[in-house]
Coordinates of all heavy atoms in Angstrom, one line a residue:
M1 N -38.1 -0.1 14.8 CA -38.5 -1.5 14.5 C -38.2 -1.8 13.1 O -38.4 -1.0 12.2 CB -40.0 -1.6 14.8 CG -40.5 -2.9 14.7 SD -42.3 -3.2 15.0 CE -42.9 -1.8 15.9
E2 N -37.7 -3.0 12.8 CA -37.4 -3.4 11.5 C -38.6 -3.7 10.7 O -39.7 -4.0 11.2 CB -36.5 -4.7 11.6 CG -35.3 -4.6 12.4 CD -34.6 -5.9 12.6 OE1 -34.9 -6.9 11.9 OE2 -33.7 -6.0 13.4
A3 N -38.4 -3.7 9.3 CA -39.5 -4.0 8.5 C -40.0 -5.4 8.5 O -41.1 -5.8 8.2 CB -39.2 -3.6 7.0
V5 N -40.2 -7.3 11.2 CA -40.8 -7.6 12.5 C -42.3 -7.8 12.3 O -42.9 -6.9 11.7 CB -40.5 -6.5 13.5 CG1 -41.3 -6.8 14.8 CG2 -39.0 -6.5 13.9
C6 N -42.8 -8.9 12.7 CA -44.2 -9.1 12.6 C -45.0 -8.5 13.7 O -46.0 -7.9 13.6 CB -44.4 -10.7 12.5 SG -46.1 -11.2 12.4
I7 N -44.5 -8.8 14.9 CA -45.2 -8.4 16.1 C -44.2 -8.1 17.2 O -43.2 -8.8 17.3 CB -46.3 -9.4 16.5 CG1 -47.3 -8.8 17.5 CG2 -45.6 -10.6 17.2 CD1 -48.5 -9.7 17.7
E8 N -44.4 -7.1 17.9 CA -43.6 -6.8 19.1 C -44.5 -6.5 20.3 O -45.5 -5.8 20.2 CB -42.7 -5.5 18.9 CG -41.8 -5.3 20.0 CD -40.8 -4.2 19.8 OE1 -40.5 -3.9 18.6 OE2 -40.4 -3.6 20.8
Q9 N -44.2 -7.2 21.4 CA -45.0 -7.1 22.6 C -44.1 -6.8 23.7 O -42.9 -7.1 23.8 CB -45.7 -8.4 22.8 CG -46.7 -8.4 23.9 CD -47.6 -9.6 24.0 OE1 -47.4 -10.6 23.2 NE2 -48.5 -9.6 24.9
E10 N -44.7 -6.0 24.7 CA -43.9 -5.6 25.8 C -43.9 -6.7 26.9 O -44.9 -7.3 27.1 CB -44.5 -4.3 26.4 CG -43.7 -3.6 27.4 CD -44.2 -2.2 27.7 OE1 -44.1 -1.3 26.9 OE2 -44.9 -2.2 28.8
G11 N -42.8 -6.9 27.6 CA -42.7 -7.8 28.6 C -41.7 -7.4 29.7 O -41.1 -6.4 29.6
I12 N -41.6 -8.2 30.8 CA -40.7 -7.9 31.9 C -39.8 -9.1 32.0 O -40.2 -10.2 32.1 CB -41.5 -7.6 33.2 CG1 -42.4 -6.4 33.0 CG2 -40.6 -7.5 34.3 CD1 -43.4 -6.2 34.1
V13 N -38.5 -8.8 32.2 CA -37.5 -9.9 32.3 C -37.7 -10.5 33.7 O -37.7 -9.9 34.7 CB -36.1 -9.3 32.2 CG1 -35.1 -10.4 32.5 CG2 -35.8 -8.7 30.9
I16 N -32.6 -14.3 34.0 CA -31.5 -14.3 33.1 C -30.6 -15.5 33.4 O -30.1 -15.6 34.6 CB -30.7 -13.0 33.0 CG1 -31.7 -11.9 32.6 CG2 -29.6 -13.1 32.0 CD1 -31.0 -10.5 32.7
I21 N -33.0 -15.9 28.2 CA -33.8 -15.0 29.0 C -35.2 -15.5 29.1 O -35.7 -16.0 28.1 CB -33.8 -13.6 28.3 CG1 -32.4 -13.1 28.2 CG2 -34.6 -12.6 29.1 CD1 -32.3 -11.8 27.3
R22 N -35.8 -15.4 30.3 CA -37.2 -15.7 30.5 C -37.9 -14.3 30.7 O -37.6 -13.6 31.5 CB -37.4 -16.6 31.7 CG -36.9 -18.0 31.4 CD -37.1 -18.8 32.6 NE -38.6 -18.7 32.9 CZ -39.3 -19.8 33.5 NH1 -38.7 -20.8 33.8 NH2 -40.5 -19.6 33.7
V23 N -38.9 -14.1 29.8 CA -39.7 -12.9 29.8 C -41.1 -13.2 30.1 O -41.7 -14.1 29.5 CB -39.5 -12.1 28.5 CG1 -40.3 -10.8 28.5 CG2 -38.1 -11.9 28.2
L25 N -44.8 -12.1 29.6 CA -45.7 -11.3 28.7 C -47.1 -11.3 29.3 O -47.6 -12.3 29.8 CB -45.7 -11.9 27.3 CG -44.4 -12.0 26.6 CD1 -44.6 -12.8 25.3 CD2 -43.8 -10.7 26.4
L50 N -42.1 -16.5 28.3 CA -41.4 -16.8 27.0 C -40.0 -17.0 27.2 O -39.4 -16.2 28.0 CB -41.7 -15.7 26.0 CG -41.0 -15.8 24.7 CD1 -42.0 -16.2 23.6 CD2 -40.4 -14.5 24.3
S52 N -36.2 -17.1 25.5 CA -35.5 -16.7 24.3 C -34.0 -17.0 24.5 O -33.5 -16.8 25.6 CB -35.7 -15.2 24.1 OG -34.9 -14.8 23.0
S53 N -33.4 -17.4 23.5 CA -31.9 -17.7 23.6 C -31.2 -16.4 23.3 O -29.9 -16.4 23.3 CB -31.5 -18.8 22.6 OG -31.9 -18.4 21.3
D54 N -31.9 -15.3 23.0 CA -31.2 -14.1 22.7 C -30.7 -13.5 24.0 O -31.4 -13.1 25.0 CB -32.3 -13.1 22.2 CG -31.7 -11.9 21.5 OD1 -30.5 -11.9 21.3 OD2 -32.5 -10.9 21.3
I55 N -29.3 -13.5 24.1 CA -28.7 -13.1 25.4 C -28.1 -11.7 25.2 O -27.3 -11.4 24.3 CB -27.5 -14.0 25.7 CG1 -28.1 -15.4 26.0 CG2 -26.8 -13.5 27.0 CD1 -27.1 -16.5 26.2
N56 N -28.7 -10.8 26.0 CA -28.3 -9.4 25.9 C -27.6 -9.0 27.3 O -28.3 -9.1 28.3 CB -29.5 -8.5 25.6 CG -29.1 -7.1 25.4 OD1 -28.1 -6.6 25.8 ND2 -30.0 -6.4 24.7
M57 N -26.4 -8.6 27.2 CA -25.7 -8.3 28.5 C -26.2 -7.1 29.2 O -25.9 -6.9 30.4 CB -24.2 -8.1 28.2 CG -23.6 -9.4 27.7 SD -23.7 -10.7 28.8 CE -23.2 -12.1 27.9
N58 N -26.9 -6.2 28.6 CA -27.4 -5.0 29.2 C -28.7 -5.1 30.0 O -29.1 -4.2 30.6 CB -27.6 -3.9 28.1 CG -26.3 -3.6 27.4 OD1 -25.2 -3.7 27.9 ND2 -26.4 -3.1 26.1
L59 N -29.2 -6.3 30.0 CA -30.5 -6.5 30.7 C -30.3 -7.1 32.1 O -29.3 -7.8 32.3 CB -31.4 -7.5 29.9 CG -31.8 -7.1 28.5 CD1 -32.6 -8.2 27.8 CD2 -32.7 -5.9 28.6
K60 N -31.3 -6.7 32.9 CA -31.3 -7.3 34.3 C -32.7 -7.6 34.6 O -33.7 -7.2 33.9 CB -30.7 -6.3 35.3 CG -31.3 -5.0 35.4 CD -30.6 -4.1 36.4 CE -31.2 -2.8 36.6 NZ -31.4 -1.9 35.5
G62 N -36.3 -7.6 35.9 CA -37.3 -6.5 36.1 C -37.3 -5.4 35.0 O -38.1 -4.5 35.0
D63 N -36.3 -5.5 34.1 CA -36.3 -4.6 33.0 C -37.5 -4.8 32.1 O -38.0 -5.9 31.8 CB -35.1 -4.8 32.1 CG -33.8 -4.1 32.7 OD1 -34.0 -3.3 33.7 OD2 -32.7 -4.4 32.2
V64 N -38.0 -3.7 31.5 CA -39.1 -3.7 30.5 C -38.5 -3.9 29.2 O -37.6 -3.1 28.8 CB -39.9 -2.4 30.6 CG1 -41.0 -2.5 29.5 CG2 -40.6 -2.3 31.9
V65 N -38.9 -4.9 28.4 CA -38.3 -5.2 27.1 C -39.4 -5.4 26.1 O -40.6 -5.6 26.4 CB -37.5 -6.6 27.2 CG1 -36.3 -6.4 28.1 CG2 -38.3 -7.7 27.7
G66 N -38.9 -5.3 24.8 CA -39.8 -5.6 23.7 C -39.4 -6.9 23.1 O -38.2 -7.2 22.9
V67 N -40.4 -7.8 22.9 CA -40.1 -9.1 22.4 C -40.7 -9.1 21.0 O -41.9 -8.8 20.8 CB -40.7 -10.2 23.2 CG1 -40.5 -11.6 22.7 CG2 -40.2 -10.1 24.7
A68 N -39.9 -9.5 20.0 CA -40.3 -9.4 18.6 C -40.1 -10.7 17.9 O -39.2 -11.5 18.3 CB -39.6 -8.3 17.9
I69 N -40.9 -11.0 16.9 CA -40.7 -12.2 16.1 C -40.8 -11.8 14.6 O -41.5 -10.8 14.3 CB -41.8 -13.3 16.4 CG1 -41.5 -14.6 15.7 CG2 -43.2 -12.8 16.1 CD1 -42.4 -15.8 16.2
H133 N -37.4 -18.1 16.8 CA -36.5 -17.3 17.5 C -37.1 -15.9 17.8 O -37.6 -15.3 16.9 CB -35.2 -17.1 16.7 CG -34.5 -18.4 16.4 ND1 -33.8 -19.0 17.4 CD2 -34.4 -19.1 15.3 CE1 -33.2 -20.1 16.9 NE2 -33.6 -20.2 15.6
F134 N -37.1 -15.5 19.0 CA -37.6 -14.2 19.4 C -36.4 -13.3 19.7 O -35.4 -13.7 20.4 CB -38.4 -14.4 20.7 CG -39.7 -15.3 20.5 CD1 -39.6 -16.6 20.7 CD2 -40.8 -14.7 20.1 CE1 -40.7 -17.4 20.6 CE2 -42.0 -15.5 19.9 CZ -41.9 -16.8 20.1
S135 N -36.5 -12.1 19.3 CA -35.5 -11.1 19.7 C -36.0 -10.3 20.8 O -37.2 -9.9 20.9 CB -35.1 -10.3 18.5 OG -36.2 -9.5 18.0
V136 N -35.1 -10.0 21.8 CA -35.4 -9.2 23.0 C -34.6 -8.0 23.0 O -33.3 -8.1 22.8 CB -35.2 -10.1 24.2 CG1 -35.5 -9.3 25.5 CG2 -36.0 -11.3 24.2
R137 N -35.2 -6.8 23.2 CA -34.4 -5.6 23.3 C -35.0 -4.7 24.4 O -36.2 -4.7 24.6 CB -34.3 -4.8 22.0 CG -35.7 -4.3 21.5 CD -35.5 -3.5 20.2 NE -36.7 -3.0 19.7 CZ -37.3 -1.8 20.1 NH1 -36.6 -1.1 21.0 NH2 -38.4 -1.4 19.7
K138 N -34.2 -4.0 25.0 CA -34.6 -3.2 26.2 C -35.4 -2.0 25.6 O -35.0 -1.3 24.6 CB -33.4 -2.7 26.9 CG -33.7 -2.0 28.2 CD -32.5 -1.7 29.0 CE -32.9 -1.1 30.4 NZ -31.7 -1.0 31.3
K139 N -36.5 -1.7 26.3 CA -37.3 -0.5 26.0 C -36.9 0.6 26.9 O -36.7 0.4 28.1 CB -38.8 -0.8 26.1 CG -39.3 -1.8 25.0 CD -40.7 -1.9 25.0 CE -41.2 -1.2 23.8 NZ -42.6 -1.2 23.5
E140 N -36.9 1.8 26.3 CA -36.7 3.0 27.1 C -38.0 3.4 27.8 O -39.0 3.4 27.2 CB -36.2 4.1 26.2 CG -34.9 3.8 25.5 CD -33.8 3.6 26.4 OE1 -33.7 4.2 27.4 OE2 -33.0 2.7 26.0
I141 N -37.9 3.7 29.1 CA -39.0 4.1 29.9 C -39.3 5.6 29.6 O -38.4 6.4 29.7 CB -38.8 3.8 31.4 CG1 -38.6 2.3 31.6 CG2 -40.0 4.3 32.2 CD1 -38.2 2.0 33.0
Q142 N -40.5 5.8 29.3 CA -40.9 7.2 28.9 C -41.7 7.9 30.0 O -42.4 7.4 30.7 CB -41.7 7.2 27.6 CG -41.0 6.6 26.5 CD -41.8 6.5 25.2 OE1 -43.0 6.8 25.3 NE2 -41.2 6.1 24.2

Side-chain angles (χ1 to χ4, degrees):
M1 186 181 340
E2 300 174 15
V5 170
C6 177
I7 197 167
E8 183 173 336
Q9 190 171 1
E10 194 172 281
I12 299 173
V13 176
I16 299 175
I21 301 169
R22 291 181 55 147
V23 178
L25 300 174
L50 177 104
S52 175
S53 60
D54 195 13
I55 299 173
N56 189 335
M57 298 299 170
N58 298 334
L59 294 176
K60 60 183 184 301
D63 280 349
V64 177
V65 294
V67 179
I69 188 170
H133 299 286
F134 297 92
S135 61
V136 179
R137 67 179 180 85
K138 188 172 184 174
K139 292 192 107 176
E140 300 300 325
I141 299 175
Q142 300 172 358

